[in-house]
Structure formats: C-alpha cells, structure tokens
C-alpha cells in the first residue's frame, strides 16, 4: 500500500512540475509577442509621422530622424555630382548611385562638419543611407579631399616670399 501511495505522489509531483514548465513557457511566449507588438507599433508610428509630414508638405526630402533604429546601407566611391538636394557617387565596376539628402543629414569633410555644397567632384566619399518609400536618402556623408586638393590648399594658404 505504501508503494502505491508513493508511486501516486511521485506521479502527481511529475505532472505538477510539467504543468509549471508549460505555464512558464506560455508566459514567455506571451511576453515575446508583447515585445514584438510594441516594436511593430513604434515602427508604424514613425511611418505614420513621416507620411503625415509628406502629406502636409513640410519637406520634399526625408527627415534623418525617421531612420533612427533602422538598418542603414553604405555606399562608397568618388563624388561625381553634388547639389543641395542630392549627391551622385561613382562606384568602381558599378553604376553611379544618386542619393537624396535627408533633412538633418550629417555631412563631414576630412572630419569637419560642413554643408553639402562644400563637397567637390573627385573626393573620396562614404555615405550611409536608408530607403524612404522608393528613394534612397543619405543620412550621413563622410568625404575626404584628394591629395592634389590638399596640396593646392596648402599652396594657397602659404604666402610666397620672393
């Protein structure tokens, strides 16, 4: 009789432990679903805000803040053309890439913050961009002057003593 009672108690304990594990797994799944839902909700809010700005006509270009937390893409090469609204980058063995300039984009030349108009064709450049609808919008541009430009700038800076 004792053996039977012990076996029943052991079986009950095993069932209880298995039920507890199943319950904690279910709670974990609910928590994960809640986290995913929150992230999707935040992304949706950002896209709605961007759409609202586009509908209200606040800007023809994207706002760099729209891309917070998203995976950015990089492109590097040499500056082919530059304007206040876009930059075209020549890439080796690939077609040129034209990127719109996002409002609030960070532009650097040799480590110094500059306006986009300071960039010149032929300079080495690396741009981080993301997609805004069907347009690629640059959010960060880092350029370096060529050695010839650096030499010319040094010559202009030094007065000639003859």
């Amino acid at each position: 009789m004792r053996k039977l009672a012990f076996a029943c108690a052991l079986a009950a304990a095993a069932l209880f432990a298995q039920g507890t594990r199943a319950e904690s797994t279910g709670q974990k799944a609910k928590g994960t679903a809640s986290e995913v839902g929150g992230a999707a909700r935040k992304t949706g809010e950002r896209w709605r805000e961007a759409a609202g700005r586009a509908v209200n006509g606040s800007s023809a270009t994207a706002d760099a803040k729209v891309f917070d937390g998203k995976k950015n893409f990089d492109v590097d090469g040499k500056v082919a053309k530059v304007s206040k609204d876009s930059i075209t980058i020549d890439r080796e063995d690939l077609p040129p890439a034209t990127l719109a300039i996002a409002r609030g984009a960070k532009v650097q030349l040799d480590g110094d913050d500059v306006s986009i108009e300071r960039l010149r064709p032929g300079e080495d450049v690396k741009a981080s961009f993301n997609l805004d609808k069907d347009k690629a919008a640059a959010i960060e541009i880092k350029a370096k002057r060529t050695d010839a430009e650096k030499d010319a700038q040094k010559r202009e800076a030094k007065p000639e003593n003859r």
Side-chain angles (χ1 to χ4, degrees):
M1 189 70 158
R2 283 186 190 167
K3 288 182 181 178
L4 183 60
F6 182 72
C8 287
L10 190 60
L15 287 174
F16 176 76
Q18 193 172 15
T20 302
R21 269 188 263 131
E23 184 178 309
S24 67
T25 303
Q27 289 173 344
K28 286 180 185 176
K30 285 180 185 176
T32 303
S34 175
E35 290 172 11
V36 169
R41 208 172 8 264
K42 286 179 184 176
T43 301
E45 289 171 5
R46 277 189 287 220
W47 280 107
R48 276 191 293 280
E49 289 172 7
R53 283 192 300 271
V55 169
N56 295 330
S58 64
S59 173
T61 58
D63 189 349
K65 293 179 185 175
V66 172
F67 303 121
D68 284 347
K70 293 190 176 189
K71 182 178 179 342
N72 295 324
F73 302 95
D74 292 330
V75 62
D76 57 346
K78 296 208 178 273
V79 175
K81 286 192 309 189
V82 67
S83 71
K84 66 178 183 173
D85 298 325
S86 67
I87 184 170
T88 301
I89 300 172
D90 280 336
R91 303 176 294 165
E92 192 173 311
D93 298 329
L94 294 170
T98 300
L99 307 173
I101 306 297
R103 187 179 51 193
K106 183 177 180 179
V107 181
Q108 291 185 332
L109 179 60
D110 290 331
D112 297 326
D113 290 338
V114 297
S115 68
I116 190 72
E117 289 88 12
R118 292 272 315 271
L119 302 184
R120 299 287 174 245
E123 294 174 336
D124 291 325
V125 66
K126 180 177 182 177
S128 295
F129 69 96
N130 211 309
L131 300 177
D132 180 31
K133 297 179 185 159
D134 60 344
K135 274 188 167 181
I139 57 172
E140 185 176 46
I141 300 170
K142 294 182 179 182
K144 293 182 182 176
R145 286 189 206 115
T146 61
D147 290 335
E149 288 177 329
K150 289 178 185 177
D151 292 341
Q153 186 179 18
K154 286 179 186 177
R155 276 184 260 135
E156 290 174 8
K158 290 182 184 179
E160 292 185 30
N161 293 328
R162 292 184 186 191

